[in-house]
Amino acid sequence: MARVRDPAGYDGQREMILSHAAQLFAQRGYAGTSMNEVAAACGVSKATLYHYVLDKHDLAVRIAEEHVLRLEALVNDTLQAHADPEQRLHALIRGFGQEYAQAQNAHRVLTEDVRFLREEDQQRILDVERRVVAAFAQTIAQVRGEPADSALGKPLAMLLFGMINWTFTWLKPGGTLDHDAIGTMVSQLFFGGVRAVSAPDGKKPRKARQA
């Protein structure tokens, strides 16, 4: 009789493998990580590893694609939850900050290692990213009182992503700021300009003394 696979156990093991692989890719880069190292980090044999993934390329595809699909799902949920464009944009910024906090390694793979993937895989992931950017662009245009296809929507969306997409390169865990605080600061800066940013404790920074 064929053995019935335990879906919960299989999925849990698979998620563990993707998590460890993402951490290794983030630390050493895709090119600098071997399947032997992934297996060792997961505490499984190489044969067991290949039971869950085809090869290293398959690992990177799954990490990057599942991450960007989670971001798209977050966008879709936020669009449904917030009819008001300004509330929606605030929620999108906070939501992305929280997601990045939980998936820093996967986000690094998405931003740095997708170039190693086959063209068809890159294109599929890029298509999801474009839909995410388009949702931000349309929301920003609506906040500005402009048509959804406003010429400034996408450039402003890309400027916004420039603020939030690379926090993993400098924001250290356990510091005075976390991703939620950064998300609030980004919202304040994007909506109100540099003078609108408050410290995490709600206090405005002291003004510099006049010379």
Side-chain angles (χ1 to χ4, degrees):
M1 179 181 292
R3 184 175 62 183
V4 177
R5 188 179 74 186
D6 175 12
Y10 181 90
D11 291 344
Q13 186 82 338
R14 177 181 171 278
E15 288 304 313
M16 181 273 291
I17 289 171
L18 294 182
S19 177
H20 279 89
Q23 184 175 14
L24 286 173
F25 290 163
Q27 292 172 345
R28 305 180 184 183
Y30 175 81
T33 303
S34 70
M35 289 295 275
N36 284 331
E37 290 170 327
V38 174
C42 295
V44 300
S45 68
K46 199 170 179 181
T48 298
L49 184 62
Y50 284 118
H51 178 64
Y52 293 91
V53 293
L54 297 175
D55 51 26
K56 188 170 75 167
H57 177 273
D58 186 38
L59 266 176
V61 170
R62 293 189 186 202
I63 292 166
E65 188 165 23
E66 290 185 14
H67 175 54
V68 76
L69 285 172
R70 284 193 298 271
L71 294 177
E72 184 180 34
L74 190 158
V75 167
N76 291 336
D77 289 345
T78 305
L79 293 180
Q80 292 182 6
H82 298 279
D84 178 73
E86 187 165 329
Q87 291 180 358
R88 189 189 317 145
L89 188 56
H90 279 295
L92 284 170
I93 294 171
R94 289 195 305 271
F96 269 55
Q98 292 166 0
E99 179 62 29
Y100 290 165
Q102 301 172 24
Q104 292 185 42
N105 293 327
H107 190 62
R108 187 182 286 269
V109 173
L110 176 65
T111 55
E112 297 185 358
D113 294 330
V114 166
R115 69 183 188 276
F116 295 110
L117 304 182
R118 288 188 289 267
E119 184 175 351
E120 61 268 27
D121 295 312
Q122 291 187 37
Q123 187 60 51
R124 193 173 62 255
I125 292 169
L126 181 59
D127 286 344
V128 182
E129 291 184 300
R130 284 172 174 159
R131 294 196 295 268
V132 168
V133 171
F136 270 79
Q138 292 168 10
T139 297
I140 291 170
Q142 291 172 341
V143 169
R144 289 169 53 85
E146 297 172 351
D149 59 352
S150 167
L152 286 179
K154 184 175 179 180
L156 287 170
M158 297 309 294
L159 286 170
L160 175 57
F161 279 116
M163 286 194 281
I164 62 178
N165 269 7
W166 300 96
T167 54
F168 70 85
T169 63
W170 58 268
L171 184 61
K172 303 303 180 184
T176 56
L177 295 174
D178 58 18
H179 281 81
D180 195 48
I182 291 296
T184 298
M185 292 171 65
V186 169
S187 288
Q188 292 171 338
L189 180 58
F190 195 74
F191 277 93
V194 70
R195 290 186 177 87
V197 178
S198 299
D201 59 7
K203 298 178 181 178
K204 291 284 187 179
R206 290 179 298 175
K207 293 184 177 180
R209 294 180 179 178
Q210 297 294 327

